[in-house]
Amino acid sequence: MPIINFDLPADLFWARSARRVVPKGGVAHRRFETLAEGICFVVEEDQAERYGVSIDTDENSFSKDKIEALYRSEGFSAYREKSQGSPSAKP
């Protein structure tokens, strides 16, 4: 696995509908100060049904499966331990 900078700003995107043709306004966005905060939000705190989840940084883009794998990875353990409070996200 390549080295990933979890401290980069990140953008979370998802579709609000499972339909193939997304209605107008059907793609949502949330910005996080760090990729680590975005990953913790998706895995730990996000209970809403989301479709086509993607977290993007200037360097990478991660799908829902990759986000969950990163969360469980050994390199992310320090961030999991710090994620006791809510992430600082900007709508």
Side-chain angles (χ1 to χ4, degrees):
M1 181 180 289
I3 296 174
I4 297 171
N5 184 351
F6 293 109
D7 296 318
L8 289 174
D11 294 290
L12 171 65
F13 296 94
W14 69 94
R16 295 180 181 173
S17 170
R19 293 174 35 193
R20 284 183 172 219
V21 177
V22 180
K24 184 176 182 181
V27 176
H29 169 262
R30 189 165 180 176
R31 178 129 177 108
F32 291 89
E33 289 185 18
T34 67
L35 174 59
E37 291 172 350
I39 291 172
C40 289
F41 175 77
V42 169
V43 176
E44 295 175 356
E45 299 186 27
D46 188 23
Q47 300 302 320
E49 189 67 35
R50 299 183 192 274
Y51 305 93
V53 172
S54 173
I55 292 182
D56 299 340
T57 67
D58 288 339
E59 297 177 356
N60 294 300
S61 181
F62 306 101
S63 66
K64 176 92 175 186
D65 292 338
K66 183 69 173 174
I67 293 166
E68 291 172 354
L70 286 170
Y71 182 81
R72 291 188 304 270
S73 71
E74 187 177 313
F76 196 77
S77 62
Y79 295 99
R80 277 195 309 269
E81 293 167 6
K82 286 197 280 186
S83 70
Q84 295 172 5
S86 15
S88 56
K90 299 174 187 171

